[in-house]
Amino acid sequence: MGIGKWLAGAAAAGTAGAAGEYALARYFVRRTLIRGNAKTERTQKMAGVDWSIYFPMIQAAKDKILENPSEDVYLTSRDGLKLYGQFFPQAGSKRVALCFHGYTSQSFSDYAVVAAKYWEQGFSLLCVDERGHGKSEGTYIGFGCLDRYDALGWIEYLVERLGEDCQILLHGDSMGGATVLMTSGLSLPPQVKGIVSDCAFTSAWEVFTHVLKSTYHLPAFPLMQISDIIARKEAGYGLDECNAREEVKKSHVPTLFIHGEKDSFVPCSMVYELYEACAAPKELLVVKGAAHVESYYKAPEQYGAMVQTWIDRYFQ
């Protein structure tokens, strides 16, 4: 049964009492936050992008990167999870791009094309599996709230490996974009020189509220309130416990915000909120006609030029 029909039916039943509302919220949390229940195919359908038209470009970029030596690297999170990353070292380079994928994706999948551009600019690459994805452990997906501390661990790993004079760029798409923006509010080492965030959401609470309304035509109350209680108890964090809009207010790291004008999954309005709130040096690129994480593919020259300018300004 589709979630729309199930949720609609459960919502009707929920009017009979709190038990129905709780059952609805529990189903929503388990379907959304637990690995294995969150399906890539469903996410891609909701994002509304026909990725098949870009597969040749993506595959060519993957082949180009995979011609180079790489190694599997691991990190233990502060709550004891074994996290995975794929590291592509560039001999003699002190520049490194640390990349975070989107919801239901994994390490290198989101970054073949953009990673190839960083590689051409002399960056080593570290593409990680966020908790609850790919080869990383974790039952619950962190939606940036938990992943920001994992990101801090990866940053510390890179500084230790590459030296105090390394220069780190954080790049994230969608949930990965939210992750790097939430990370920007932490106390980061000076080696983090810049952030690129593509189609980030403000918080799990706010993007879920949007999806419930736009996709399933359901009100957020009381589903989100109950879901938040369940998430805190089972996943270990609240759905609005960390909001990227609040975190970027504390940031000192230059940040480039990118978003697709036609994004129906993470509404484009969120990037304006994030950009306005950011206290660090910042730039904004909104690509006309681009849907969720489609900006590079819709406007590769514009996207590439903006990122190149960013690199030239903040990386030696």
Side-chain angles (χ1 to χ4, degrees), residues 137-174:
E137 294 180 344
T139 299
Y140 293 95
I141 296 170
F143 281 94
C145 187
L146 301 179
D147 308 277
R148 58 183 171 150
Y149 297 109
D150 302 337
L152 184 59
W154 285 117
I155 291 167
E156 292 169 348
Y157 165 83
L158 287 172
V159 173
E160 181 177 355
R161 175 167 181 156
L162 300 178
E164 295 290 331
D165 57 343
C166 73
Q167 300 175 65
I168 301 172
L169 182 149
L170 306 182
H171 186 124
D173 286 349
S174 190

PDB file of all heavy atoms in Angstrom, residues 137-174:
ATOM      1  N   GLU A 137      27.909   2.072   9.420  1.00  0.00           N
ATOM      2  CA  GLU A 137      26.939   1.492  10.350  1.00  0.00           C
ATOM      3  C   GLU A 137      25.902   2.529  10.748  1.00  0.00           C
ATOM      4  O   GLU A 137      26.032   3.722  10.465  1.00  0.00           O
ATOM      5  CB  GLU A 137      27.671   0.969  11.591  1.00  0.00           C
ATOM      6  CG  GLU A 137      28.600  -0.205  11.314  1.00  0.00           C
ATOM      7  CD  GLU A 137      29.308  -0.708  12.557  1.00  0.00           C
ATOM      8  OE1 GLU A 137      29.321   0.021  13.570  1.00  0.00           O
ATOM      9  OE2 GLU A 137      29.845  -1.823  12.513  1.00  0.00           O
ATOM     10  N   GLY A 138      24.877   2.051  11.419  1.00  0.00           N
ATOM     11  CA  GLY A 138      23.832   2.927  11.925  1.00  0.00           C
ATOM     12  C   GLY A 138      22.460   2.487  11.473  1.00  0.00           C
ATOM     13  O   GLY A 138      22.237   2.298  10.269  1.00  0.00           O
ATOM     14  N   THR A 139      21.567   2.328  12.427  1.00  0.00           N
ATOM     15  CA  THR A 139      20.191   1.948  12.107  1.00  0.00           C
ATOM     16  C   THR A 139      19.393   3.162  11.668  1.00  0.00           C
ATOM     17  O   THR A 139      18.557   3.068  10.761  1.00  0.00           O
ATOM     18  CB  THR A 139      19.522   1.311  13.336  1.00  0.00           C
ATOM     19  OG1 THR A 139      20.258   0.132  13.712  1.00  0.00           O
ATOM     20  CG2 THR A 139      18.074   0.933  13.048  1.00  0.00           C
ATOM     21  N   TYR A 140      19.670   4.300  12.302  1.00  0.00           N
ATOM     22  CA  TYR A 140      18.864   5.500  12.058  1.00  0.00           C
ATOM     23  C   TYR A 140      19.632   6.526  11.234  1.00  0.00           C
ATOM     24  O   TYR A 140      20.818   6.790  11.459  1.00  0.00           O
ATOM     25  CB  TYR A 140      18.436   6.133  13.386  1.00  0.00           C
ATOM     26  CG  TYR A 140      17.470   5.268  14.154  1.00  0.00           C
ATOM     27  CD1 TYR A 140      17.925   4.403  15.138  1.00  0.00           C
ATOM     28  CD2 TYR A 140      16.105   5.302  13.874  1.00  0.00           C
ATOM     29  CE1 TYR A 140      17.044   3.585  15.838  1.00  0.00           C
ATOM     30  CE2 TYR A 140      15.215   4.490  14.567  1.00  0.00           C
ATOM     31  CZ  TYR A 140      15.690   3.639  15.545  1.00  0.00           C
ATOM     32  OH  TYR A 140      14.815   2.831  16.224  1.00  0.00           O
ATOM     33  N   ILE A 141      18.951   7.119  10.274  1.00  0.00           N
ATOM     34  CA  ILE A 141      19.493   8.190   9.456  1.00  0.00           C
ATOM     35  C   ILE A 141      19.505   9.477  10.283  1.00  0.00           C
ATOM     36  O   ILE A 141      18.547   9.768  11.001  1.00  0.00           O
ATOM     37  CB  ILE A 141      18.649   8.345   8.174  1.00  0.00           C
ATOM     38  CG1 ILE A 141      18.758   7.061   7.341  1.00  0.00           C
ATOM     39  CG2 ILE A 141      19.083   9.568   7.372  1.00  0.00           C
ATOM     40  CD1 ILE A 141      17.800   6.983   6.186  1.00  0.00           C
ATOM     41  N   GLY A 142      20.589  10.243  10.185  1.00  0.00           N
ATOM     42  CA  GLY A 142      20.784  11.368  11.094  1.00  0.00           C
ATOM     43  C   GLY A 142      20.262  12.712  10.635  1.00  0.00           C
ATOM     44  O   GLY A 142      20.186  13.644  11.431  1.00  0.00           O
ATOM     45  N   PHE A 143      19.928  12.865   9.342  1.00  0.00           N
ATOM     46  CA  PHE A 143      19.418  14.122   8.782  1.00  0.00           C
ATOM     47  C   PHE A 143      20.250  15.336   9.169  1.00  0.00           C
ATOM     48  O   PHE A 143      19.721  16.418   9.394  1.00  0.00           O
ATOM     49  CB  PHE A 143      17.950  14.312   9.144  1.00  0.00           C
ATOM     50  CG  PHE A 143      17.037  13.506   8.265  1.00  0.00           C
ATOM     51  CD1 PHE A 143      16.614  12.239   8.652  1.00  0.00           C
ATOM     52  CD2 PHE A 143      16.635  13.982   7.025  1.00  0.00           C
ATOM     53  CE1 PHE A 143      15.805  11.469   7.824  1.00  0.00           C
ATOM     54  CE2 PHE A 143      15.834  13.222   6.193  1.00  0.00           C
ATOM     55  CZ  PHE A 143      15.407  11.965   6.585  1.00  0.00           C
ATOM     56  N   GLY A 144      21.549  15.148   9.244  1.00  0.00           N
ATOM     57  CA  GLY A 144      22.460  16.245   9.545  1.00  0.00           C
ATOM     58  C   GLY A 144      22.650  16.486  11.019  1.00  0.00           C
ATOM     59  O   GLY A 144      23.731  16.905  11.452  1.00  0.00           O
ATOM     60  N   CYS A 145      21.641  16.218  11.805  1.00  0.00           N
ATOM     61  CA  CYS A 145      21.701  16.505  13.244  1.00  0.00           C
ATOM     62  C   CYS A 145      22.780  15.666  13.930  1.00  0.00           C
ATOM     63  O   CYS A 145      23.553  16.186  14.742  1.00  0.00           O
ATOM     64  CB  CYS A 145      20.328  16.250  13.862  1.00  0.00           C
ATOM     65  SG  CYS A 145      20.208  16.757  15.584  1.00  0.00           S
ATOM     66  N   LEU A 146      22.819  14.377  13.599  1.00  0.00           N
ATOM     67  CA  LEU A 146      23.866  13.507  14.132  1.00  0.00           C
ATOM     68  C   LEU A 146      25.105  13.535  13.240  1.00  0.00           C
ATOM     69  O   LEU A 146      26.232  13.424  13.723  1.00  0.00           O
ATOM     70  CB  LEU A 146      23.343  12.072  14.250  1.00  0.00           C
ATOM     71  CG  LEU A 146      22.115  11.865  15.136  1.00  0.00           C
ATOM     72  CD1 LEU A 146      21.700  10.397  15.134  1.00  0.00           C
ATOM     73  CD2 LEU A 146      22.367  12.342  16.563  1.00  0.00           C
ATOM     74  N   ASP A 147      24.903  13.691  11.940  1.00  0.00           N
ATOM     75  CA  ASP A 147      26.002  13.615  10.969  1.00  0.00           C
ATOM     76  C   ASP A 147      27.003  14.757  11.118  1.00  0.00           C
ATOM     77  O   ASP A 147      28.154  14.627  10.689  1.00  0.00           O
ATOM     78  CB  ASP A 147      25.430  13.636   9.550  1.00  0.00           C
ATOM     79  CG  ASP A 147      24.348  12.599   9.347  1.00  0.00           C
ATOM     80  OD1 ASP A 147      24.677  11.435   9.074  1.00  0.00           O
ATOM     81  OD2 ASP A 147      23.154  12.952   9.480  1.00  0.00           O
ATOM     82  N   ARG A 148      26.591  15.882  11.700  1.00  0.00           N
ATOM     83  CA  ARG A 148      27.526  17.007  11.842  1.00  0.00           C
ATOM     84  C   ARG A 148      28.706  16.633  12.743  1.00  0.00           C
ATOM     85  O   ARG A 148      29.833  17.081  12.515  1.00  0.00           O
ATOM     86  CB  ARG A 148      26.803  18.231  12.392  1.00  0.00           C
ATOM     87  CG  ARG A 148      26.117  18.011  13.731  1.00  0.00           C
ATOM     88  CD  ARG A 148      25.354  19.238  14.176  1.00  0.00           C
ATOM     89  NE  ARG A 148      24.537  18.964  15.349  1.00  0.00           N
ATOM     90  CZ  ARG A 148      24.232  19.862  16.267  1.00  0.00           C
ATOM     91  NH1 ARG A 148      24.687  21.102  16.146  1.00  0.00           N
ATOM     92  NH2 ARG A 148      23.473  19.549  17.290  1.00  0.00           N
ATOM     93  N   TYR A 149      28.453  15.808  13.747  1.00  0.00           N
ATOM     94  CA  TYR A 149      29.551  15.370  14.613  1.00  0.00           C
ATOM     95  C   TYR A 149      30.427  14.338  13.899  1.00  0.00           C
ATOM     96  O   TYR A 149      31.645  14.284  14.122  1.00  0.00           O
ATOM     97  CB  TYR A 149      29.003  14.816  15.921  1.00  0.00           C
ATOM     98  CG  TYR A 149      28.263  15.856  16.722  1.00  0.00           C
ATOM     99  CD1 TYR A 149      26.875  15.807  16.853  1.00  0.00           C
ATOM    100  CD2 TYR A 149      28.950  16.913  17.325  1.00  0.00           C
ATOM    101  CE1 TYR A 149      26.186  16.777  17.570  1.00  0.00           C
ATOM    102  CE2 TYR A 149      28.265  17.882  18.048  1.00  0.00           C
ATOM    103  CZ  TYR A 149      26.885  17.814  18.164  1.00  0.00           C
ATOM    104  OH  TYR A 149      26.203  18.779  18.866  1.00  0.00           O
ATOM    105  N   ASP A 150      29.806  13.532  13.035  1.00  0.00           N
ATOM    106  CA  ASP A 150      30.600  12.625  12.203  1.00  0.00           C
ATOM    107  C   ASP A 150      31.480  13.435  11.259  1.00  0.00           C
ATOM    108  O   ASP A 150      32.646  13.094  11.033  1.00  0.00           O
ATOM    109  CB  ASP A 150      29.676  11.712  11.388  1.00  0.00           C
ATOM    110  CG  ASP A 150      28.743  10.878  12.262  1.00  0.00           C
ATOM    111  OD1 ASP A 150      29.071  10.664  13.440  1.00  0.00           O
ATOM    112  OD2 ASP A 150      27.692  10.453  11.744  1.00  0.00           O
ATOM    113  N   ALA A 151      30.928  14.510  10.690  1.00  0.00           N
ATOM    114  CA  ALA A 151      31.699  15.379   9.799  1.00  0.00           C
ATOM    115  C   ALA A 151      32.901  15.966  10.526  1.00  0.00           C
ATOM    116  O   ALA A 151      34.013  16.039   9.966  1.00  0.00           O
ATOM    117  CB  ALA A 151      30.812  16.502   9.263  1.00  0.00           C
ATOM    118  N   LEU A 152      32.703  16.381  11.765  1.00  0.00           N
ATOM    119  CA  LEU A 152      33.807  16.930  12.551  1.00  0.00           C
ATOM    120  C   LEU A 152      34.898  15.875  12.731  1.00  0.00           C
ATOM    121  O   LEU A 152      36.092  16.185  12.643  1.00  0.00           O
ATOM    122  CB  LEU A 152      33.297  17.402  13.911  1.00  0.00           C
ATOM    123  CG  LEU A 152      34.306  18.087  14.829  1.00  0.00           C
ATOM    124  CD1 LEU A 152      34.910  19.323  14.168  1.00  0.00           C
ATOM    125  CD2 LEU A 152      33.639  18.473  16.156  1.00  0.00           C
ATOM    126  N   GLY A 153      34.489  14.622  12.938  1.00  0.00           N
ATOM    127  CA  GLY A 153      35.460  13.535  13.052  1.00  0.00           C
ATOM    128  C   GLY A 153      36.252  13.336  11.770  1.00  0.00           C
ATOM    129  O   GLY A 153      37.475  13.129  11.802  1.00  0.00           O
ATOM    130  N   TRP A 154      35.582  13.421  10.616  1.00  0.00           N
ATOM    131  CA  TRP A 154      36.282  13.283   9.335  1.00  0.00           C
ATOM    132  C   TRP A 154      37.243  14.451   9.104  1.00  0.00           C
ATOM    133  O   TRP A 154      38.335  14.276   8.550  1.00  0.00           O
ATOM    134  CB  TRP A 154      35.281  13.196   8.193  1.00  0.00           C
ATOM    135  CG  TRP A 154      34.580  11.874   8.071  1.00  0.00           C
ATOM    136  CD1 TRP A 154      33.245  11.636   8.206  1.00  0.00           C
ATOM    137  CD2 TRP A 154      35.185  10.604   7.776  1.00  0.00           C
ATOM    138  NE1 TRP A 154      32.965  10.290   8.022  1.00  0.00           N
ATOM    139  CE2 TRP A 154      34.142   9.639   7.747  1.00  0.00           C
ATOM    140  CE3 TRP A 154      36.487  10.186   7.526  1.00  0.00           C
ATOM    141  CZ2 TRP A 154      34.375   8.294   7.478  1.00  0.00           C
ATOM    142  CZ3 TRP A 154      36.732   8.835   7.268  1.00  0.00           C
ATOM    143  CH2 TRP A 154      35.685   7.915   7.246  1.00  0.00           C
ATOM    144  N   ILE A 155      36.844  15.635   9.520  1.00  0.00           N
ATOM    145  CA  ILE A 155      37.728  16.800   9.396  1.00  0.00           C
ATOM    146  C   ILE A 155      39.002  16.577  10.219  1.00  0.00           C
ATOM    147  O   ILE A 155      40.120  16.816   9.747  1.00  0.00           O
ATOM    148  CB  ILE A 155      36.996  18.077   9.852  1.00  0.00           C
ATOM    149  CG1 ILE A 155      35.888  18.438   8.854  1.00  0.00           C
ATOM    150  CG2 ILE A 155      37.981  19.239  10.012  1.00  0.00           C
ATOM    151  CD1 ILE A 155      34.914  19.490   9.364  1.00  0.00           C
ATOM    152  N   GLU A 156      38.828  16.119  11.442  1.00  0.00           N
ATOM    153  CA  GLU A 156      39.985  15.863  12.305  1.00  0.00           C
ATOM    154  C   GLU A 156      40.873  14.771  11.710  1.00  0.00           C
ATOM    155  O   GLU A 156      42.117  14.853  11.799  1.00  0.00           O
ATOM    156  CB  GLU A 156      39.498  15.473  13.699  1.00  0.00           C
ATOM    157  CG  GLU A 156      38.817  16.630  14.430  1.00  0.00           C
ATOM    158  CD  GLU A 156      38.099  16.205  15.698  1.00  0.00           C
ATOM    159  OE1 GLU A 156      37.935  14.971  15.898  1.00  0.00           O
ATOM    160  OE2 GLU A 156      37.689  17.082  16.478  1.00  0.00           O
ATOM    161  N   TYR A 157      40.265  13.766  11.095  1.00  0.00           N
ATOM    162  CA  TYR A 157      41.024  12.710  10.430  1.00  0.00           C
ATOM    163  C   TYR A 157      41.895  13.290   9.318  1.00  0.00           C
ATOM    164  O   TYR A 157      43.073  12.951   9.173  1.00  0.00           O
ATOM    165  CB  TYR A 157      40.061  11.657   9.865  1.00  0.00           C
ATOM    166  CG  TYR A 157      40.693  10.726   8.858  1.00  0.00           C
ATOM    167  CD1 TYR A 157      41.410   9.611   9.267  1.00  0.00           C
ATOM    168  CD2 TYR A 157      40.585  10.972   7.487  1.00  0.00           C
ATOM    169  CE1 TYR A 157      42.015   8.755   8.343  1.00  0.00           C
ATOM    170  CE2 TYR A 157      41.176  10.132   6.558  1.00  0.00           C
ATOM    171  CZ  TYR A 157      41.887   9.032   6.991  1.00  0.00           C
ATOM    172  OH  TYR A 157      42.484   8.190   6.068  1.00  0.00           O
ATOM    173  N   LEU A 158      41.324  14.180   8.508  1.00  0.00           N
ATOM    174  CA  LEU A 158      42.060  14.761   7.392  1.00  0.00           C
ATOM    175  C   LEU A 158      43.213  15.638   7.867  1.00  0.00           C
ATOM    176  O   LEU A 158      44.299  15.622   7.280  1.00  0.00           O
ATOM    177  CB  LEU A 158      41.118  15.556   6.498  1.00  0.00           C
ATOM    178  CG  LEU A 158      40.161  14.727   5.632  1.00  0.00           C
ATOM    179  CD1 LEU A 158      39.138  15.642   4.949  1.00  0.00           C
ATOM    180  CD2 LEU A 158      40.925  13.910   4.597  1.00  0.00           C
ATOM    181  N   VAL A 159      42.976  16.412   8.913  1.00  0.00           N
ATOM    182  CA  VAL A 159      44.048  17.265   9.440  1.00  0.00           C
ATOM    183  C   VAL A 159      45.205  16.412   9.950  1.00  0.00           C
ATOM    184  O   VAL A 159      46.381  16.698   9.697  1.00  0.00           O
ATOM    185  CB  VAL A 159      43.512  18.185  10.553  1.00  0.00           C
ATOM    186  CG1 VAL A 159      44.656  18.948  11.213  1.00  0.00           C
ATOM    187  CG2 VAL A 159      42.482  19.165   9.997  1.00  0.00           C
ATOM    188  N   GLU A 160      44.856  15.329  10.653  1.00  0.00           N
ATOM    189  CA  GLU A 160      45.902  14.440  11.169  1.00  0.00           C
ATOM    190  C   GLU A 160      46.649  13.763  10.022  1.00  0.00           C
ATOM    191  O   GLU A 160      47.882  13.619  10.075  1.00  0.00           O
ATOM    192  CB  GLU A 160      45.279  13.390  12.085  1.00  0.00           C
ATOM    193  CG  GLU A 160      46.294  12.436  12.697  1.00  0.00           C
ATOM    194  CD  GLU A 160      45.677  11.447  13.670  1.00  0.00           C
ATOM    195  OE1 GLU A 160      44.474  11.560  13.946  1.00  0.00           O
ATOM    196  OE2 GLU A 160      46.418  10.556  14.147  1.00  0.00           O
ATOM    197  N   ARG A 161      45.933  13.391   8.989  1.00  0.00           N
ATOM    198  CA  ARG A 161      46.558  12.662   7.887  1.00  0.00           C
ATOM    199  C   ARG A 161      47.377  13.568   6.972  1.00  0.00           C
ATOM    200  O   ARG A 161      48.480  13.208   6.549  1.00  0.00           O
ATOM    201  CB  ARG A 161      45.485  11.948   7.063  1.00  0.00           C
ATOM    202  CG  ARG A 161      46.047  11.267   5.823  1.00  0.00           C
ATOM    203  CD  ARG A 161      45.089  10.319   5.179  1.00  0.00           C
ATOM    204  NE  ARG A 161      45.700   9.694   4.016  1.00  0.00           N
ATOM    205  CZ  ARG A 161      45.340   8.533   3.502  1.00  0.00           C
ATOM    206  NH1 ARG A 161      44.346   7.847   4.054  1.00  0.00           N
ATOM    207  NH2 ARG A 161      45.935   8.038   2.430  1.00  0.00           N
ATOM    208  N   LEU A 162      46.830  14.735   6.646  1.00  0.00           N
ATOM    209  CA  LEU A 162      47.455  15.601   5.647  1.00  0.00           C
ATOM    210  C   LEU A 162      48.327  16.703   6.237  1.00  0.00           C
ATOM    211  O   LEU A 162      49.076  17.342   5.510  1.00  0.00           O
ATOM    212  CB  LEU A 162      46.373  16.224   4.756  1.00  0.00           C
ATOM    213  CG  LEU A 162      45.507  15.236   3.976  1.00  0.00           C
ATOM    214  CD1 LEU A 162      44.441  15.979   3.178  1.00  0.00           C
ATOM    215  CD2 LEU A 162      46.357  14.372   3.060  1.00  0.00           C
ATOM    216  N   GLY A 163      48.176  16.953   7.542  1.00  0.00           N
ATOM    217  CA  GLY A 163      49.014  17.948   8.186  1.00  0.00           C
ATOM    218  C   GLY A 163      48.274  19.239   8.490  1.00  0.00           C
ATOM    219  O   GLY A 163      47.207  19.522   7.949  1.00  0.00           O
ATOM    220  N   GLU A 164      48.883  20.030   9.364  1.00  0.00           N
ATOM    221  CA  GLU A 164      48.269  21.274   9.814  1.00  0.00           C
ATOM    222  C   GLU A 164      48.095  22.298   8.700  1.00  0.00           C
ATOM    223  O   GLU A 164      47.282  23.221   8.819  1.00  0.00           O
ATOM    224  CB  GLU A 164      49.122  21.892  10.938  1.00  0.00           C
ATOM    225  CG  GLU A 164      49.199  21.066  12.210  1.00  0.00           C
ATOM    226  CD  GLU A 164      47.882  21.032  12.968  1.00  0.00           C
ATOM    227  OE1 GLU A 164      47.114  22.021  12.865  1.00  0.00           O
ATOM    228  OE2 GLU A 164      47.625  20.037  13.663  1.00  0.00           O
ATOM    229  N   ASP A 165      48.832  22.145   7.604  1.00  0.00           N
ATOM    230  CA  ASP A 165      48.737  23.112   6.510  1.00  0.00           C
ATOM    231  C   ASP A 165      47.769  22.671   5.402  1.00  0.00           C
ATOM    232  O   ASP A 165      47.743  23.270   4.331  1.00  0.00           O
ATOM    233  CB  ASP A 165      50.116  23.370   5.913  1.00  0.00           C
ATOM    234  CG  ASP A 165      50.807  22.104   5.405  1.00  0.00           C
ATOM    235  OD1 ASP A 165      50.375  20.998   5.806  1.00  0.00           O
ATOM    236  OD2 ASP A 165      51.777  22.218   4.624  1.00  0.00           O
ATOM    237  N   CYS A 166      46.965  21.652   5.671  1.00  0.00           N
ATOM    238  CA  CYS A 166      45.995  21.223   4.665  1.00  0.00           C
ATOM    239  C   CYS A 166      44.843  22.234   4.580  1.00  0.00           C
ATOM    240  O   CYS A 166      44.631  23.038   5.491  1.00  0.00           O
ATOM    241  CB  CYS A 166      45.460  19.828   4.959  1.00  0.00           C
ATOM    242  SG  CYS A 166      44.317  19.711   6.352  1.00  0.00           S
ATOM    243  N   GLN A 167      44.130  22.190   3.461  1.00  0.00           N
ATOM    244  CA  GLN A 167      43.002  23.088   3.225  1.00  0.00           C
ATOM    245  C   GLN A 167      41.792  22.233   2.847  1.00  0.00           C
ATOM    246  O   GLN A 167      41.831  21.518   1.841  1.00  0.00           O
ATOM    247  CB  GLN A 167      43.325  24.068   2.101  1.00  0.00           C
ATOM    248  CG  GLN A 167      44.529  24.937   2.393  1.00  0.00           C
ATOM    249  CD  GLN A 167      44.877  25.806   1.190  1.00  0.00           C
ATOM    250  OE1 GLN A 167      44.104  26.679   0.806  1.00  0.00           O
ATOM    251  NE2 GLN A 167      46.037  25.568   0.591  1.00  0.00           N
ATOM    252  N   ILE A 168      40.736  22.342   3.636  1.00  0.00           N
ATOM    253  CA  ILE A 168      39.579  21.450   3.492  1.00  0.00           C
ATOM    254  C   ILE A 168      38.381  22.218   2.956  1.00  0.00           C
ATOM    255  O   ILE A 168      38.028  23.290   3.465  1.00  0.00           O
ATOM    256  CB  ILE A 168      39.230  20.802   4.842  1.00  0.00           C
ATOM    257  CG1 ILE A 168      40.417  19.997   5.371  1.00  0.00           C
ATOM    258  CG2 ILE A 168      37.998  19.906   4.704  1.00  0.00           C
ATOM    259  CD1 ILE A 168      40.231  19.471   6.784  1.00  0.00           C
ATOM    260  N   LEU A 169      37.744  21.651   1.948  1.00  0.00           N
ATOM    261  CA  LEU A 169      36.482  22.151   1.419  1.00  0.00           C
ATOM    262  C   LEU A 169      35.393  21.150   1.755  1.00  0.00           C
ATOM    263  O   LEU A 169      35.551  19.945   1.506  1.00  0.00           O
ATOM    264  CB  LEU A 169      36.569  22.350  -0.097  1.00  0.00           C
ATOM    265  CG  LEU A 169      35.329  22.928  -0.798  1.00  0.00           C
ATOM    266  CD1 LEU A 169      35.751  23.753  -2.013  1.00  0.00           C
ATOM    267  CD2 LEU A 169      34.359  21.833  -1.256  1.00  0.00           C
ATOM    268  N   LEU A 170      34.309  21.605   2.344  1.00  0.00           N
ATOM    269  CA  LEU A 170      33.154  20.742   2.625  1.00  0.00           C
ATOM    270  C   LEU A 170      32.114  20.951   1.537  1.00  0.00           C
ATOM    271  O   LEU A 170      31.708  22.080   1.258  1.00  0.00           O
ATOM    272  CB  LEU A 170      32.530  21.092   3.986  1.00  0.00           C
ATOM    273  CG  LEU A 170      33.445  21.099   5.208  1.00  0.00           C
ATOM    274  CD1 LEU A 170      32.636  21.421   6.463  1.00  0.00           C
ATOM    275  CD2 LEU A 170      34.162  19.765   5.361  1.00  0.00           C
ATOM    276  N   HIS A 171      31.683  19.853   0.911  1.00  0.00           N
ATOM    277  CA  HIS A 171      30.661  19.935  -0.128  1.00  0.00           C
ATOM    278  C   HIS A 171      29.563  18.934   0.216  1.00  0.00           C
ATOM    279  O   HIS A 171      29.833  17.768   0.479  1.00  0.00           O
ATOM    280  CB  HIS A 171      31.245  19.608  -1.501  1.00  0.00           C
ATOM    281  CG  HIS A 171      30.279  19.823  -2.628  1.00  0.00           C
ATOM    282  ND1 HIS A 171      30.558  20.652  -3.692  1.00  0.00           N
ATOM    283  CD2 HIS A 171      29.031  19.337  -2.863  1.00  0.00           C
ATOM    284  CE1 HIS A 171      29.519  20.664  -4.531  1.00  0.00           C
ATOM    285  NE2 HIS A 171      28.596  19.857  -4.041  1.00  0.00           N
ATOM    286  N   GLY A 172      28.320  19.399   0.192  1.00  0.00           N
ATOM    287  CA  GLY A 172      27.197  18.514   0.497  1.00  0.00           C
ATOM    288  C   GLY A 172      26.014  18.768  -0.410  1.00  0.00           C
ATOM    289  O   GLY A 172      25.727  19.904  -0.779  1.00  0.00           O
ATOM    290  N   ASP A 173      25.329  17.677  -0.777  1.00  0.00           N
ATOM    291  CA  ASP A 173      24.103  17.750  -1.569  1.00  0.00           C
ATOM    292  C   ASP A 173      22.911  17.339  -0.725  1.00  0.00           C
ATOM    293  O   ASP A 173      22.954  16.302  -0.034  1.00  0.00           O
ATOM    294  CB  ASP A 173      24.170  16.785  -2.765  1.00  0.00           C
ATOM    295  CG  ASP A 173      25.099  17.268  -3.867  1.00  0.00           C
ATOM    296  OD1 ASP A 173      25.538  18.429  -3.818  1.00  0.00           O
ATOM    297  OD2 ASP A 173      25.383  16.471  -4.776  1.00  0.00           O
ATOM    298  N   SER A 174      21.836  18.127  -0.762  1.00  0.00           N
ATOM    299  CA  SER A 174      20.577  17.776  -0.103  1.00  0.00           C
ATOM    300  C   SER A 174      20.812  17.533   1.393  1.00  0.00           C
ATOM    301  O   SER A 174      21.212  18.448   2.106  1.00  0.00           O
ATOM    302  CB  SER A 174      19.960  16.558  -0.794  1.00  0.00           C
ATOM    303  OG  SER A 174      18.644  16.320  -0.337  1.00  0.00           O
TER     304      SER A 174
END
